[in-house]
Amino acid sequence: DWFMPVALGRPATTDEVAEHRALWRLVLREALTAPAVFVHRDYHAQNLLWMPSRSGLARVGLIDFQDAVAGSSAYDLISLVEDARRDVAPEVADATTRHYLAAMRAQGSAIDERSYRSQMAVMAAQRNAKIAGIFARLYKRDGKPRYLGYLPRVWGYLNRDLDDPALSRLKAWYDRAIPREKRGRPQGVEP
């Protein structure tokens, strides 16, 4: 609704919207069958506070959790390692994911890594597609052009996420509906 008019200079067609939603429903149906956990939804460095007077995990404070929901355990991990506002090196993201999987194993809740990484790709793609739309809206409706500067990073993540085999049909939709040269910073639009 918001990104395509900014990137392409036209709204999405009714058929594009219907196909996009149908493809997401299919992909998310499987990803959302896993047991639901607390999901902060905005879990990134700016919402974490270091509290040195505490010990252990309690040293990390958490703010901005009013939009929390129950959902996929992959969502907050992706929010942290695919931060829309700052670069996270792929090796740091991978080490963080490996640490999470090892911690789950150590507490007796082992997770199948291949399946979980695919679930992460799905949650990441959904999140990054949503963020691209939000940032386009913040630019277009709210007059906040600085958000356009984050789009190359968000689309970089989304393009990589779409390489997961579980997202092949969505990747084809994006490649057809929003050509790569129109992703990232929309042409003719100055942040």
Side-chain angles (χ1 to χ4, degrees):
D1 291 338
W2 289 98
F3 184 80
M4 287 180 76
V6 170
L8 304 178
R10 67 163 180 84
T13 67
T14 303
D15 288 344
E16 287 170 332
V17 170
E19 183 181 5
H20 188 249
R21 288 180 181 165
L23 291 170
W24 273 114
R25 277 188 202 100
L26 286 172
V27 168
L28 290 171
R29 183 180 304 135
E30 182 177 334
L32 296 176
T33 59
V37 300
F38 172 89
V39 177
H40 182 279
R41 286 188 52 210
D42 206 10
Y43 193 77
H44 56 81
Q46 287 175 273
N47 287 335
L48 300 175
L49 301 173
W50 185 246
M51 305 181 81
S53 63
R54 296 181 179 182
S55 61
L57 291 176
R59 292 176 106 179
V60 180
L62 187 58
I63 62 170
D64 196 16
F65 49 83
Q66 69 275 5
D67 293 329
V69 296
S72 168
S73 63
Y75 197 92
D76 282 347
L77 181 56
I78 280 300
S79 296
L80 188 62
V81 301
E82 291 194 3
D83 191 320
R85 291 175 182 88
R86 65 182 39 85
D87 292 327
V88 177
E91 52 276 2
V92 171
D94 186 58
T96 302
T97 302
R98 284 186 281 111
H99 177 79
Y100 174 77
L101 293 168
M104 295 303 290
R105 253 189 323 277
Q107 74 177 29
S109 301
I111 299 171
D112 177 72
E113 183 172 352
R114 190 172 67 160
S115 172
Y116 191 74
R117 286 186 182 267
S118 184
Q119 182 182 11
M120 286 177 64
V122 169
M123 291 292 102
Q126 182 276 331
R127 181 177 181 276
N128 289 314
K130 175 187 74 169
I131 290 171
I134 289 169
F135 287 176
R137 183 190 72 214
L138 287 167
Y139 159 71
K140 187 80 171 168
R141 185 191 75 188
D142 300 346
K144 297 179 179 181
R146 72 181 178 275
Y147 286 94
L148 294 179
Y150 299 129
L151 285 175
R153 178 180 299 111
V154 171
W155 273 102
Y157 292 143
L158 180 53
N159 290 333
R160 186 181 67 216
D161 299 329
L162 290 170
D163 285 336
D164 187 274
L167 296 162
S168 61
R169 293 177 64 194
L170 268 164
K171 180 180 182 173
W173 183 92
Y174 280 99
D175 288 345
R176 187 176 65 252
I178 308 171
R180 282 190 181 254
E181 66 273 8
K182 301 286 186 174
R183 300 175 192 176
R185 181 163 296 137
Q187 281 92 17
V189 177
E190 293 298 319

